[in-house]
Amino acid sequence: MSRALDDARDETPEAAPILGNVPGSYALSVFRERHPVLIKQVREALPYTPDRRRALDRLLGEVERDVMEPLEPSAHDGAAWAEWGRGKIGGRWVDAPFLWAESYFYRKLLEATGYFGDGPWRGVDPFGPLKQAELDGPDVDGELAALDETAALSPDERAEALLLGSLWGNRADLSHGATGAGGGERATGLVVDDGPLLRALLGDLAPARICLVADNAGRELLPDLVLADHLLAHGQAREVALHVKPVPYFVSDATPSDVLACLRWLAAAPGRAGEAGARLWAATEDGRLTLRAHPFACAPLPYADMPDDLRGEFAAADLTIMKGDLNYRRLTGDRMWPPATPFAAVTGYFPGPVVALRTLKSDALVGVPERTVAELDATGRAWRTSGTHAMIQGRGGPQVG
């Protein structure tokens, strides 16, 4: 690791975690508004049996009373969550670190729907109807058809268009839309644009082994897969390892079954989308596109606490691309860093070059100059949480020297 990076880390005291107990905060609105709405949506999305509906009603009561109850004693991962939740379970949802408490909410939601139980609801994605409705929506066909227009672009312009498509696809987040957040606004620029760094890394490392850590399914995952196809087809990647969640998580987060659904969708599409789908299908068969679903992907912990085997996977990659807001929160610890805190200082623990592609949908933020923050704050808009602004943010290294 470079001396400069060591110095930056030494001079960066750890910030306090983001909590949900701050009046008027985004995190508080998630617990007070989004989670109750989501439970009701899940309850009505599938014909759950009376026992499951009662369990969902109990969870709604927990959320409304603002008390975190423990998992059932029979929970297969109860010991792990009891350890992670030491000093938190039994208290208020809003008093726990936001990342931890939000993760625990989704674990409790899966418990309520019977996802891990021995009954008929075992393995049934409670968010499946919401995901499928989005994939079947009218916007998807138009977005895939737009790929045909990239044929008229130069190679550099096409690469830039596909990168931005993957970046802005992060707005397709079902949980973010549960309460109508985001509106129809879209920023014309980026809060941080490390696109030149990403292009330089791809050029210097090609053909690279790339870890692409996905976020949402459906409309976001489709452009992510198209980006992976571009990297493979144009010799910038010799292998893309696509990291997804092993179980449904945070409503729209991608699982292996969501990846397969998108691959089928692409393969059946006309035009350039179908061509990309055919190449991706073949790349999956011959091992150039691989799927990873590590259990840590659903842990309520930042990437700084990743286990050694996952750290080894990222260390073996030439580049890791982190998609989406949740991955950014985990990458930066979901803490209230001063916004100008260097990204490299906060992520110095990560075992290789890393670039985050993220539309802003939470308060986690680093590496943004104070002047930029002041200008955006002066607009009076919720630019940190509305999904209207985005960033390409990264660092090379850590480097030896």
Side-chain angles (χ1 to χ4, degrees):
M1 185 179 296
S2 69
R3 177 67 59 85
L5 182 55
D6 274 336
D7 290 345
R9 292 182 66 188
D10 291 342
E11 296 172 3
T12 307
E14 194 162 60
I18 294 173
L19 303 176
N21 57 11
V22 179
S25 68
Y26 170 76
L28 181 61
S29 73
V30 168
F31 292 114
R32 293 287 186 264
E33 301 170 22
R34 184 182 301 180
H35 286 175
V37 170
L38 181 58
I39 293 171
K40 294 171 185 176
Q41 285 182 335
V42 167
R43 194 178 187 275
E44 300 306 318
L46 291 168
Y48 284 112
T49 45
D51 59 331
R52 295 302 98 209
R53 295 172 71 85
R54 287 192 296 270
L56 286 164
D57 290 342
R58 285 195 297 272
L59 178 58
L60 179 60
E62 286 183 37
V63 170
E64 292 177 338
R65 293 195 316 274
D66 197 14
V67 177
M68 288 188 293
E69 300 291 350
L71 290 171
E72 295 294 329
S74 59
H76 72 281
D77 53 355
W81 279 98
E83 180 62 29
W84 291 330
R86 190 181 302 276
K88 304 179 186 70
I89 295 174
R92 298 201 308 162
W93 288 94
V94 298
D95 290 338
F98 183 35
L99 176 65
W100 191 94
E102 199 174 12
S103 296
Y104 188 56
F105 167 79
Y106 283 101
R107 175 59 187 85
K108 293 276 290 185
L109 187 58
L110 288 181
E111 188 79 6
T113 64
Y115 185 87
F116 296 111
D118 292 330
W121 297 102
R122 182 180 182 88
V124 176
D125 186 344
F127 315 124
L130 300 174
K131 293 177 181 178
Q132 191 60 48
E134 185 196 57
L135 199 57
D136 290 339
D139 292 333
V140 171
D141 287 339
E143 290 168 358
L144 292 181
L147 285 176
D148 294 337
E149 301 174 11
T150 65
L153 301 177
S154 70
D156 288 345
E157 290 172 333
R158 187 179 307 117
E160 184 73 5
L162 296 179
L163 174 65
L164 292 177
S166 177
L167 169 64
W168 285 107
N170 182 231
R171 292 196 68 189
D173 179 339
L174 298 174
S175 67
H176 195 66
T179 53
E185 185 181 5
R186 173 170 171 155
T188 57
L190 302 177
V191 176
V192 176
D193 185 5
D194 285 342
L197 170 64
L198 176 57
R199 289 187 287 274
L201 287 171
L202 289 172
D204 292 344
L205 298 170
R209 184 180 188 275
I210 296 175
C211 284
L212 176 57
V213 185
D215 190 30
N216 298 311
R219 286 179 60 200
E220 178 179 352
L221 187 56
L222 287 168
D224 289 348
L225 287 168
V226 171
L227 177 61
D229 168 65
H230 177 81
L231 296 174
L232 289 166
H234 289 78
Q236 291 176 297
R238 66 180 181 274
E239 178 188 348
V240 174
L242 183 63
H243 286 246
V244 296
K245 305 297 191 298
V247 298
Y249 191 63
F250 276 62
V251 188
S252 52
D253 283 17
T255 66
S257 61
D258 296 319
V259 176
L260 298 178
C262 285
L263 285 176
R264 288 193 298 269
W265 195 275
L266 282 170
R272 297 181 72 87
E275 294 170 6
R279 288 191 297 266
L280 288 166
W281 196 280
T284 304
E285 290 181 329
D286 64 26
R288 289 178 296 122
L289 177 64
T290 59
L291 278 180
R292 299 284 189 272
H294 196 284
F296 185 77
C298 294
L301 304 171
Y303 280 112
D305 295 335
M306 73 181 94
D308 289 342
D309 61 334
L310 182 59
R311 182 179 298 274
E313 287 195 42
F314 289 138
D318 297 303
L319 171 65
T320 296
I321 298 175
M322 291 276 185
K323 278 299 309 292
D325 198 76
L326 177 58
N327 280 320
Y328 187 88
R329 290 168 59 189
R330 299 184 77 191
L331 189 62
T332 61
D334 206 39
R335 295 176 175 273
M336 290 301 296
W337 300 104
T341 305
F343 179 80
V346 174
T347 62
Y349 67 88
F350 199 83
V354 60
V355 174
L357 304 181
R358 172 219 186 189
T359 57
L360 279 64
K361 291 179 287 188
S362 71
D363 286 313
L365 192 70
V366 298
V368 180
E370 293 179 0
R371 179 178 177 179
T372 301
V373 172
E375 290 173 349
L376 291 169
D377 284 345
T379 66
R381 298 174 180 175
W383 62 274
R384 294 194 190 200
T385 59
S386 62
T388 59
H389 292 72
M391 54 173 54
I392 303 172
Q393 191 173 48
R395 64 159 178 81
Q399 299 172 352
V400 177

